[in-house]
Amino acid sequence: MLAANKQWANDIKEADPQYFIRAAQEQKPELLWVGCADSRVGPDQLIGLPMGSIFVHRNIGNIFATNDLNSLAVLEYAIDELQVPNVMVCGHYGCGGVHAALTHSGIQPVDLWLDQIRFIYQRHEPELARLNEQQRWDRLAELNVEAQVHNICRNTVVREAWKRGQEVNVIGLIYDIHDGRLKQLGLEFRSQAEWQARYGEGRQ
Ligand SMILES: [Zn+2]
């Protein structure tokens, strides 16, 4: 890995001698990525953006937890300091975290973390109970993206940014590990008004 890193750094310097001088001065990412820690879902490669373009937050199950200081600090820093105009929640089919939430529970740290996805299952149980196992797994991954988009849209940092007219586009997508494609879920909100038009005032 050290050898590969040396080669990579040399290649970059050869192609663009000023690259590391510029990179050391500042970051100006265009996207906050909230994604799963799964090793098959690395944001830089799958949307083809160069290093320096994406501010990244990843955890098991791509959860934006409203009681997690890490998630909250990342969002605050991305919006208030870096002025990132796009926040993308990206779930994925075949997610082990979603599968674990569907199939067992317990008191280990990973179980407690995934309780947040179990709660989403409970809220949508009538719809999910009608599906077969594979469909249920896929659909819960989509509903999880939607829930995390909502957690972001109702966050004070985002609401305040929208109120002062700052550009913040919150998007939910799902990545298909079977064909490498990102799929839209009809989740895209650029203002408080857009979010409320879809879900109403009462949505929490
Ligand atoms: Zn996953």
Side-chain angles (χ1 to χ4, degrees):
M1 283 185 274
L2 287 171
N5 166 254
K6 193 175 170 189
Q7 182 65 50
W8 171 81
N10 286 340
D11 289 348
I12 297 249
K13 247 190 276 184
E14 220 165 88
D16 180 359
Q18 300 298 310
Y19 177 83
F20 289 111
I21 295 163
R22 286 198 313 275
Q25 283 165 358
E26 65 160 0
Q27 62 165 329
K28 197 77 189 124
E30 56 195 273
L31 174 67
L32 165 61
W33 174 277
V34 178
C36 187
D38 192 304
S39 61
R40 298 163 295 178
V41 195
D44 303 82
Q45 289 96 331
L46 70 89
I47 51 177
L49 288 176
M51 204 159 71
S53 307
I54 313 175
F55 197 62
V56 178
H57 180 68
R58 292 172 73 181
N59 57 51
I60 298 172
N62 46 271
I63 295 168
F64 183 86
T66 53
N67 60 354
D68 172 33
L69 202 50
N70 187 2
S71 300
L72 297 170
V74 164
L75 186 67
E76 181 189 1
Y77 190 74
I79 302 274
D80 288 350
E81 297 298 323
L82 297 174
Q83 308 266 310
V84 167
N86 300 294
V87 179
M88 187 182 285
V89 177
C90 185
H92 67 106
Y93 295 129
C95 182
V98 172
H99 192 257
L102 268 174
T103 51
H104 65 270
S105 63
I107 54 162
Q108 296 304 313
V110 73
D111 299 316
L112 299 175
W113 177 251
L114 293 172
D115 274 346
Q116 299 169 98
I117 301 181
R118 283 188 200 94
F119 297 145
I120 298 165
Y121 178 86
Q122 286 162 9
R123 281 207 300 275
H124 296 273
E125 194 162 14
E127 176 195 344
L128 292 165
R130 288 196 298 271
L131 305 174
N132 70 34
E133 204 180 320
Q134 181 65 49
Q135 291 168 331
R136 195 177 300 134
W137 185 11
D138 291 347
R139 183 64 185 137
L140 186 56
E142 296 174 356
L143 291 169
N144 180 40
V145 171
E146 185 177 15
Q148 308 316 326
V149 165
H150 281 290
N151 284 342
I152 290 169
C153 288
R154 67 193 176 100
N155 182 278
T156 312
V157 167
V158 171
R159 289 186 174 210
E160 288 298 318
W162 276 342
K163 209 187 283 181
R164 63 178 176 263
Q166 185 178 330
E167 183 188 2
V168 181
N169 188 20
V170 184
I171 308 151
L173 295 168
I174 194 145
Y175 175 73
D176 194 337
I177 53 169
H178 304 95
D179 63 8
R181 298 294 303 272
L182 284 169
K183 180 177 142 188
Q184 290 182 294
L185 295 170
L187 298 166
E188 185 164 355
F189 303 101
R190 285 162 295 187
S191 67
Q192 179 80 6
E194 278 190 8
W195 185 62
Q196 281 178 349
R198 169 99 171 252
Y199 292 102
E201 290 274 355
R203 170 80 196 208
Q204 287 299 316

